[in-house]
Amino acid sequence: MRRRVILMLAMTATLPLPASAQTVEDRARAAAEASREKTSDSEAIQQNYLTPGLAGQPIATVDNSQTFNPSIACQQTATLLELIAQPASSGDIGTLRISRDKNLDGSVDQTLTLPVPVSGICANGVVSCQPGTWNQCRSFQWDVASGGDLKLTEVGLTDLAGCYCVNNSCGSNLVWGNMASVLKDLGGGVIGALTTADPRVGVAQATIDGPAIRYTGAQSTACTPNPSLPQTAYRASPATIQGDASSAAAASSIFQALKGSPAGIGTVGQIRACTIEREVSITPWQFDDIVSASGVITSSWSCGEGCRRYQIRGDGACGGYPPLYSAIFTPLAPERIVSARIVEMGADDWVQARVGGVAVGYAGKRVWMHDGIPSGDCRISGSPWYNYAPIDITEQLKAGSTTVSARVRGGGGGRWGYVTVEIRADTACDLSERLVDLCSGYAGDPACQLDSERVDGVQTFKSGVATGINPLPQVRQFGSGACTMQLARDFFRRERSYRCSIDTGSMPAPDLSRGAYIIDHSTETMLADRVRIADGGHAASSRPFALPDRGSVPACEAVCKTRAPKANESVALDGVVGAKQNAPTGWDTFYHACRTDSAGSDVCPAGPGEEIVSACGCFDDFPEAVVMMQTVRLGGADLVCTGEVR
């Protein structure tokens, strides 16, 4: 955003071009070329706009005809921080002094001289060991005290990142030979701690001068000495900006004026609330709720869970037609009947089982499956007769009321007979579930938009924007007593509100027909148009059309790849990495944006000690980067955990 403001200010200046001798296209191309010269790459933007803008220095217009002093920060300083490193004979950095302008008033407020030698440098701290060795090492992290002073805090090595060795245990003359990179790494760790403690601090440029590095910066986001501002607090809690914006809008007279203008009230809206609720009911079932029995039932008893037996018993005689004893079974919930059977018959002397008036079985000495009387004597001496072969009557009972009868015939000392019916039913608790959606009408109405939603108490939508928060699946208990169940569902209740337009207001909808006609009827060489005339009709026209030559642009920004030898001085918990390798020297790889010389050729700006690996051009090292990242990932997967508690 800062760069855009500066660029817009710079480009508003009028370029002094000969108005009569040049066409509009020539003037536009000249202006574009002048602008491109100052903004062609990141280095040009930083040099021409960003660095002077943060430091409060003059910025020139595109044609350099005018200058102005921007004020994009409340406080500016040319030197935000200065760091000076002085190596010792042991190779360690014996003296490291940091000078800092805390309140950005142009004067130094804090000077910190490290009380320990620096044997290793990390991205966020330093390592101090016995000078010239990698023994008795202690790890320190850059930190900021509550009063704003820079300090070192002792931590474990695992809390630091990107550490490497610089003293004589890893090589000779490492600090002097790599002073620029050493200063950048030290300064980067310090700047990281400062900007973390106070996000308002912005750094524009780092300048290296021998053993010193200086940073140019400013407070670029606030005009107050308090770093705990709502603007900077949004980084830690982005969701709070929505509520703060709403409060600011409510307190703004300009916003309220726009809200009450014809444009603001052109559409009348109405908030409509609704719910989507999951209704769950659990119904307990008793046996008598499934089957009812009546008639001649001499006894009944339970035969287990959801099972009952009924006995139909009576006396008989030899004379006349055998008497009939009947019971009626009525299905109240046929779908819950599991089975119905005649499981036992017994008599002294005869019994016949009948279902719906039809004989289905008997107990006696001889077959009795007809409507007449059994053949032979009425009185048969001996023990009673029993039949335990089951007779299934499930289908008959599910179809409707079913009559089961016992015909009994006997004489002498034996005149009884019975039929036993067994019915099994499903008496488990019945679960019914349904979604009652009272929002479907609003959701399907194009004039309504979802404004807010709560799912089981969690705000998932607010002011028409998703919050990004969703509830976890819920587990709830339903029922009571013997009928208790736990159900896990994605949600049980959604509370929604929709904002619905109920009036288009006084502002008419824009007429887009002319634009649609131009798009549909124009070509690359002909521009078609249609305008409305006084009598309400339309007049169509067309004319030749051609786009100006857009010129050519490079396929990419030319870059080059270089490398420089570097000792493997990286460190880990086990010591210096180079000491564990056969070849302790490796390579540092650099990428540079190429520059154009006076002859128009690309030149690779290789640094001291660097050799060119790939000349200027367009090339893609993505496969190499993938291999490197995969190597690091697989190497990390093979690391052995220590016994230290972390």
Side-chain angles (χ1 to χ4, degrees):
M1 185 65 186
R2 185 183 304 122
R3 294 182 181 178
R4 293 179 182 173
V5 172
I6 300 172
L7 288 175
M8 291 174 64
L9 291 172
M11 295 182 67
T12 53
T14 304
L15 296 175
L17 298 173
S20 60
Q22 292 182 324
T23 65
V24 173
E25 182 178 340
D26 293 335
R27 295 168 61 190
R29 289 188 181 278
E33 188 62 32
S35 175
R36 187 180 301 116
E37 184 178 350
K38 284 205 165 189
T39 61
S40 57
D41 53 34
S42 58
E43 292 184 4
I45 293 176
Q46 183 173 358
Q47 178 182 353
N48 295 320
Y49 299 114
L50 185 57
T51 299
L54 282 176
Q57 298 172 356
I59 294 179
T61 56
V62 173
D63 63 346
N64 295 319
S65 63
Q66 301 180 37
T67 60
F68 61 95
N69 288 80
S71 179
I72 61 174
C74 296
Q75 302 177 41
Q76 297 92 13
T77 176
T79 303
L80 170 70
L81 180 141
E82 181 181 69
L83 185 148
I84 300 176
Q86 181 69 40
S89 59
S90 60
D92 304 85
I93 300 177
T95 302
L96 182 62
R97 187 175 71 251
I98 302 173
S99 302
R100 179 181 165 217
D101 183 0
K102 291 172 53 178
N103 56 6
L104 305 177
D105 61 355
S107 61
V108 175
D109 302 308
Q110 180 194 6
T111 300
L112 172 66
T113 301
L114 266 62
V116 295
V118 176
S119 308
I121 301 173
C122 306
N124 56 341
V126 296
V127 179
S128 178
C129 306
Q130 183 178 353
T133 70
W134 201 257
N135 301 323
Q136 302 177 8
C137 296
R138 300 165 63 193
S139 306
F140 299 90
Q141 185 177 25
W142 295 113
D143 201 357
V144 178
S146 57
D149 288 338
L150 183 68
K151 66 175 184 176
L152 283 177
T153 301
E154 188 165 1
V155 296
L157 184 60
T158 53
D159 292 326
L160 302 180
C163 299
Y164 62 91
C165 171
V166 296
N167 64 14
N168 290 344
S169 66
C170 311
S172 60
N173 204 30
L174 293 178
V175 175
W176 280 119
N178 302 276
M179 181 60 74
S181 62
V182 166
L183 291 173
K184 289 180 181 178
D185 293 340
L186 287 170
V190 174
I191 292 297
L194 295 178
T195 55
T196 299
D198 189 351
R200 300 171 302 159
V201 175
V203 176
Q205 187 179 30
T207 303
I208 297 176
D209 183 10
I213 183 170
R214 298 179 182 87
Y215 288 91
T216 301
Q219 272 189 4
S220 57
T221 60
C223 302
T224 171
N226 179 19
S228 300
L229 297 171
Q231 293 88 340
T232 56
Y234 294 142
R235 184 181 64 171
S237 180
T240 59
I241 195 172
Q242 185 174 2
D244 293 348
S246 177
S247 301
S252 171
S253 59
I254 298 177
F255 180 86
Q256 296 301 324
L258 290 174
K259 184 178 179 181
S261 67
I265 63 176
T267 300
V268 179
Q270 188 179 68
I271 298 296
R272 298 174 181 175
C274 60
T275 59
I276 303 174
E277 191 163 8
R278 192 181 303 275
E279 288 189 354
V280 178
S281 61
I282 298 179
T283 306
W285 285 91
Q286 303 294 331
F287 188 90
D288 292 334
D289 298 329
I290 301 171
V291 178
S292 68
S294 61
V296 184
I297 298 175
T298 55
S299 62
S300 64
W301 63 93
S302 173
C303 50
E305 181 69 26
C307 178
R308 186 176 294 180
R309 288 187 174 184
Y310 301 89
Q311 189 177 83
I312 306 167
R313 185 183 181 99
D315 295 333
C318 288
Y321 194 80
L324 196 65
Y325 302 93
S326 300
I328 301 174
F329 299 94
T330 303
L332 304 179
E335 70 281 357
R336 284 191 161 262
I337 296 175
V338 177
S339 65
R341 303 181 302 168
I342 298 175
V343 295
E344 183 181 348
M345 292 174 279
D348 188 4
D349 296 309
W350 307 84
V351 67
Q352 183 187 73
R354 302 176 73 88
V355 177
V358 179
V360 295
Y362 71 96
K365 185 176 181 179
R366 289 182 290 275
V367 178
W368 186 22
M369 294 294 291
H370 50 79
D371 293 339
I373 60 175
S375 60
D377 298 335
C378 177
R379 170 63 180 154
I380 303 175
S381 59
S383 301
W385 302 90
Y386 296 96
N387 184 350
Y388 298 102
I391 301 172
D392 195 321
I393 60 171
T394 305
E395 294 303 322
Q396 293 95 317
L397 181 57
K398 285 187 173 183
S401 296
T402 302
T403 301
V404 180
S405 306
R407 291 181 68 193
V408 182
R409 178 176 172 80
R415 293 184 294 177
W416 55 269
Y418 69 87
V419 173
T420 301
V421 178
E422 177 189 277
I423 300 176
R424 293 184 178 273
D426 179 11
T427 57
C429 300
D430 188 17
L431 171 67
S432 62
E433 176 182 343
R434 66 168 184 160
L435 278 178
V436 181
D437 187 355
L438 302 180
C439 299
S440 58
Y442 301 140
D445 188 347
C448 297
Q449 300 293 329
L450 181 62
D451 184 69
S452 67
E453 179 187 62
R454 283 185 177 271
V455 180
D456 294 331
V458 177
Q459 187 87 46
T460 59
F461 233 79
K462 185 176 181 180
S463 300
V465 180
T467 63
I469 304 174
N470 293 302
L472 296 173
Q474 302 287 312
V475 178
R476 295 188 181 181
Q477 182 169 298
F478 296 89
S480 61
C483 280
T484 302
M485 293 184 180
Q486 284 189 340
L487 297 181
R489 297 292 185 268
D490 293 339
F491 76 94
F492 286 93
R493 180 180 174 86
R494 294 182 183 268
E495 301 172 78
R496 288 180 172 179
S497 63
Y498 286 83
R499 185 178 297 275
C500 300
S501 301
I502 58 176
D503 185 14
T504 58
S506 58
M507 293 190 67
D511 184 7
L512 304 179
S513 60
R514 181 183 180 188
Y517 182 88
I518 295 174
I519 295 173
D520 293 340
H521 295 80
S522 298
T523 65
E524 294 180 357
T525 58
M526 186 270 293
L527 177 64
D529 194 4
R530 187 182 67 173
V531 297
R532 186 182 297 274
I533 56 179
D535 61 0
H538 292 86
S541 62
S542 63
R543 60 185 177 87
F545 173 75
L547 288 172
D549 181 20
R550 289 174 289 178
S552 59
V553 296
C556 68
E557 182 179 8
V559 295
C560 60
K561 180 179 180 182
T562 66
R563 69 176 186 175
K566 181 178 183 297
N568 293 332
E569 72 274 19
S570 299
V571 298
L573 291 174
D574 198 31
V576 181
V577 175
K580 312 294 182 181
Q581 297 177 329
N582 295 329
T585 301
W587 297 91
D588 272 344
T589 301
F590 305 93
Y591 291 88
H592 300 281
C594 294
R595 300 172 182 173
T596 304
D597 60 11
S598 57
S601 301
D602 290 331
V603 177
C604 180
E610 298 179 18
E611 63 179 66
I612 298 177
V613 177
S614 299
C616 294
C618 299
F619 55 91
D620 181 11
D621 279 354
F622 183 74
E624 180 180 349
V626 171
V627 172
M628 295 173 65
M629 290 188 290
Q630 182 74 343
T631 303
V632 173
R633 187 186 70 82
L634 295 177
D638 291 337
L639 292 179
V640 178
C641 295
T642 67
E644 181 181 350
V645 178
R646 306 197 194 284

